[in-house]
Amino acid sequence: MAAIQPRTEIHDVVVIGSGAGGATAAHVLTRAGIRVTLLEAGPMLDPQAEFKEHHWPYDYGHRGAEEGGAAYFGEGKSFGFFTTTSGGWELDGEPYTVANDTDDFWWFRSRIVGGRTNHYGRMSFRFSDYDFFPRDRDGLGWNWPIRYEDLAPYYDRAEAFIGVVGSHEGIRSAPDGVFHEPPPPKAHELLIQRASQRMRIPCIPNRRAVITRPINGRPACHYCGQCGRGCLSGSNYSASQTQIFPAMETGRLTVIDLAMARAVTTAPDGKVDGVLYIDKRTGEERRIRCRVLVVAASACESARLLLNSKTAEHRDGVANGSGVVGRYLMDTVGFDISGHVPALEGMPRYNSDGAGGAHLYMPWWGWETQEALGFPRGYHIEIGGGYQMPGVGAFGGAARRGGYGVAIKEEARRDYGTTLSFAGRGEMIPNERSWCEPDPDVVDRWGIPVLRFHFQWSDYERRQARHMRETFAELFHLMGGEPNPPGQRDAAGISIGGSIIHEVGTVRMGDNRQTSALNSFCQAHDVPNLFVCDAGSFVSNPDKNPTLTINALTWRASDYLADAMRSGEI
């Protein structure tokens, strides 16, 4: 490896990672007048080149199957050729390992400015008041060191800035927020809503980070229905377009892309004084010096960086005096199923593209009858269906039933739009058998020890997933439909750990420095000029997708950091 290149400049704040946490930190700090340098392991995003928002399958000879039909053989781009993903479950030269005595675990990594926010589902749910004190409710896990009231003002700021659609419903499990007008329900969603009402399950306008009126120079959604492909107009939230690019325009944010952070360095007083990173263009190792470091590389990547940063002052890894870094890894409990609903056959065709996803969803309804359900905590239900643009494999069911020629065409037309789906997304209880650590025997192409995962679902999660399956079956039957057999991911009755891409909890916050790595402002107990602003700080993983809470926690931490820098405390 080439020698370290000396850099004498001391940067005010260095941020590692450009997803929801890193971008929010850059946004808040630059607006406070602080100069920020951001390291991103992937390349700079070019929306014009990366986004295929309005491209049709017939624009490509392979129709989306990718060259050589790679998509048919499971070798294509993650989530399909047209999506904006840059990264995946496997990265060339950047492996990870899974321990032999554990359940399987998948780790999705994004490598581009904006990270996963360029292609995520944009579900934007606030944690409920009771989500912050789970141990008080059922004796499991730990309580957060903050309450809903502490975070509510920052939920307000995040929602107002990024833009979230929704409606005010007064449901305790789904706190109301600062919303844009939601798009109207689609026809199949009204059918689902009627079935859910018969089961006394609320089915309400979805909360998604898509705007329906102009804000901050971003036009309202034009309902092309292709959010997963990227949005050239910036009408949905992506950290790159909504926060990174505007912060760069202030002149106070510098982005160093293709910079793979290898280790945090510390001074004799134990404080952070810099970061070692690999310049992926040249393979050289470089060092950047800083007064403050914000690590926001994603829950597992941040834990990996801290654990690989063993210094004379921090022999077990930076910020790991408690020994909890890497521990209590959680993912969202998932169970998905689809089914055929004959009532939707023969309906008049209409444009159901909408705002790029479901316009309704079902928040958790059982918090008052928890003991009778046989499992702790809860889940929400995401729904799918409609007349989306057909892609590769869209009519596989018709092909299996319809034969050839005219028969298969008629079957495809009849089948189109009659498939509905339900996805349960629930809370995992933290356990000591789920954690990650540097693998002592495997390094990546840059010589950095990779992560080794240990992961196990408990009976709590399995019983929850079984409840999902039973609930979905009843919904289908109430609509006169029949669920299909579960897919490969759900054949075991529960999703593979990591496959929902909601990993959290590896650098958790808490009031007790013996049992937590961070305080309530995401500041390391052991290292006062180090902040961890991603889902690693989570104490629990409620049934709410984590991105909005990452935004809010980081906004709160960044306000605290800006005040501390102005006062000279940091």
Side-chain angles (χ1 to χ4, degrees):
M1 183 176 289
I4 296 174
Q5 302 298 309
R7 299 188 69 147
T8 57
E9 180 184 2
I10 300 178
H11 297 249
D12 288 339
V13 177
V14 167
V15 175
I16 299 175
S18 63
T24 299
H27 165 74
V28 175
L29 294 173
T30 55
R31 289 181 68 173
I34 296 169
R35 303 189 72 84
V36 176
T37 302
L38 187 148
L39 304 181
E40 164 56 45
M44 178 59 71
L45 172 71
D46 180 354
Q48 294 294 332
E50 290 283 337
F51 293 174
K52 301 180 179 69
E53 178 183 1
H54 294 149
H55 293 202
W56 294 87
Y58 56 68
D59 290 332
Y60 301 88
H62 53 66
R63 301 297 194 268
E66 302 189 48
E67 296 301 328
Y72 283 116
F73 303 104
E75 300 171 355
K77 189 175 183 181
S78 297
F79 307 114
F81 170 75
F82 291 99
T83 64
T84 58
T85 54
S86 181
W89 303 106
E90 297 181 7
L91 302 179
D92 289 342
E94 297 187 45
Y96 61 90
T97 62
V98 179
N100 293 327
D101 58 344
T102 184
D103 295 344
D104 198 5
F105 189 86
W106 295 357
W107 187 23
F108 186 95
R109 289 159 293 168
S110 188
R111 292 286 187 264
I112 199 164
V113 167
R116 301 174 186 175
T117 67
N118 291 313
H119 60 83
Y120 82 120
R122 295 179 175 83
M123 304 292 193
S124 300
F125 307 137
R126 295 185 179 207
F127 287 9
S128 174
D129 65 309
Y130 62 69
D131 288 325
F132 291 93
F133 50 93
R135 188 174 183 85
D136 289 355
R137 295 177 63 210
D138 53 31
L140 300 172
W142 293 268
N143 292 334
W144 289 64
I146 58 175
R147 291 292 183 261
Y148 177 79
E149 292 74 19
D150 298 317
L151 204 55
Y154 295 95
Y155 277 134
D156 289 350
R157 295 185 195 183
E159 288 167 341
F161 183 77
I162 69 176
V164 176
V165 296
S167 59
H168 291 83
E169 303 288 341
I171 298 173
R172 187 180 179 190
S173 64
D176 297 328
V178 180
F179 295 139
H180 287 220
E181 186 72 18
K186 306 171 189 180
H188 69 276
E189 293 174 335
L190 293 173
L191 183 65
I192 292 171
Q193 189 179 55
R194 285 202 295 267
S196 72
Q197 288 169 346
R198 292 174 64 182
M199 295 178 66
R200 300 184 181 278
I201 299 175
C203 188
I204 65 174
N206 208 347
R207 283 94 185 262
R208 298 183 68 243
V210 178
I211 59 176
T212 53
R213 55 179 168 78
I215 58 168
N216 302 322
R218 298 160 55 204
C221 174
H222 53 278
Y223 287 12
C224 75
Q226 304 300 325
C227 285
R229 298 177 172 213
C231 184
L232 287 169
S233 64
S235 303
N236 60 28
Y237 169 63
S238 66
S240 51
Q241 294 170 288
T242 308
Q243 293 166 313
I244 297 289
F245 296 162
M248 292 174 69
E249 291 174 0
T250 69
R252 290 187 288 273
L253 174 64
T254 300
V255 175
I256 303 176
D257 65 345
L258 294 171
M260 184 71 183
R262 184 181 74 77
V264 176
T265 63
T266 58
D269 62 2
K271 293 182 180 179
V272 169
D273 65 1
V275 177
L276 299 176
Y277 70 92
I278 307 299
D279 182 337
K280 288 185 172 181
R281 291 183 175 87
T282 65
E284 293 181 321
E285 184 175 85
R286 301 183 182 276
R287 184 184 183 209
I288 185 169
R289 301 176 67 193
C290 61
R291 294 183 175 87
V292 178
L293 177 63
V294 176
V295 178
S298 81
C300 297
E301 200 73 77
S302 292
R304 177 193 182 196
L305 175 65
L306 297 175
L307 290 170
N308 278 329
S309 302
K310 292 179 169 62
T311 70
E313 299 78 26
H314 303 278
R315 297 185 181 277
D316 294 321
V318 170
N320 194 31
S322 62
V324 302
V325 174
R327 298 284 169 169
Y328 306 110
L329 169 64
M330 293 166 277
D331 187 29
T332 291
V333 181
F335 182 81
D336 303 1
I337 204 162
S338 62
H340 176 69
V341 179
L344 295 171
E345 292 180 3
M347 280 186 55
R349 297 291 188 260
Y350 73 100
N351 185 340
S352 67
D353 288 347
H359 290 183
L360 301 180
Y361 91 110
M362 300 177 221
W364 177 235
W365 63 97
W367 71 90
E368 292 180 334
T369 58
Q370 199 75 59
E371 292 184 7
L373 296 175
F375 63 90
R377 317 295 168 84
Y379 60 92
H380 73 262
I381 303 174
E382 300 172 11
I383 63 181
Y387 301 112
Q388 297 98 337
M389 183 190 301
V392 172
F395 297 112
R400 287 189 292 271
R401 295 191 300 270
Y404 300 91
V406 173
I408 193 173
K409 292 179 181 179
E410 291 178 348
E411 182 68 22
R413 292 189 183 98
R414 185 165 53 249
D415 193 64
Y416 181 47
T418 66
T419 297
L420 302 182
S421 64
F422 297 112
R425 298 291 180 259
E427 179 167 357
M428 176 184 179
I429 308 299
N431 68 68
E432 294 184 352
R433 299 177 302 281
S434 298
W435 51 291
C436 58
E437 62 177 341
D439 190 316
D441 301 318
V442 183
V443 297
D444 66 12
R445 65 189 300 180
W446 317 112
I448 306 170
V450 307
L451 276 186
R452 177 168 61 190
F453 289 96
H454 307 254
F455 192 85
Q456 287 189 19
W457 295 119
S458 72
D459 285 342
Y460 298 132
E461 291 83 42
R462 293 188 183 91
R463 291 200 296 266
Q464 182 187 125
R466 186 161 56 246
H467 190 274
M468 293 178 186
R469 185 171 189 166
E470 293 167 354
T471 300
F472 300 165
E474 186 171 355
L475 284 167
F476 273 115
H477 293 152
L478 287 172
M479 293 185 290
E482 191 66 34
N484 297 323
Q488 180 181 3
R489 185 173 73 174
D490 299 288
I494 192 169
S495 55
I496 294 170
S499 65
I500 307 299
I501 320 182
H502 287 173
E503 63 275 11
V504 308
T506 54
V507 196
R508 73 181 185 195
M509 63 168 63
D511 289 328
N512 186 341
R513 63 189 303 133
Q514 302 302 316
T515 58
S516 60
L518 311 174
N519 67 17
S520 63
F521 290 97
C522 302
Q523 181 183 29
H525 289 304
D526 302 343
V527 191
N529 65 337
L530 170 65
F531 293 74
V532 178
C533 291
D534 53 33
S537 68
F538 284 28
V539 179
S540 62
N541 191 22
D543 64 299
K544 285 84 176 177
N545 303 36
T547 303
L548 181 65
T549 298
I550 296 172
N551 292 136
L553 286 171
T554 302
W555 204 308
R556 182 173 183 266
S558 299
D559 270 0
Y560 172 85
L561 171 57
D563 288 344
M565 292 183 73
R566 279 192 288 262
S567 68
E569 182 182 343
I570 295 179

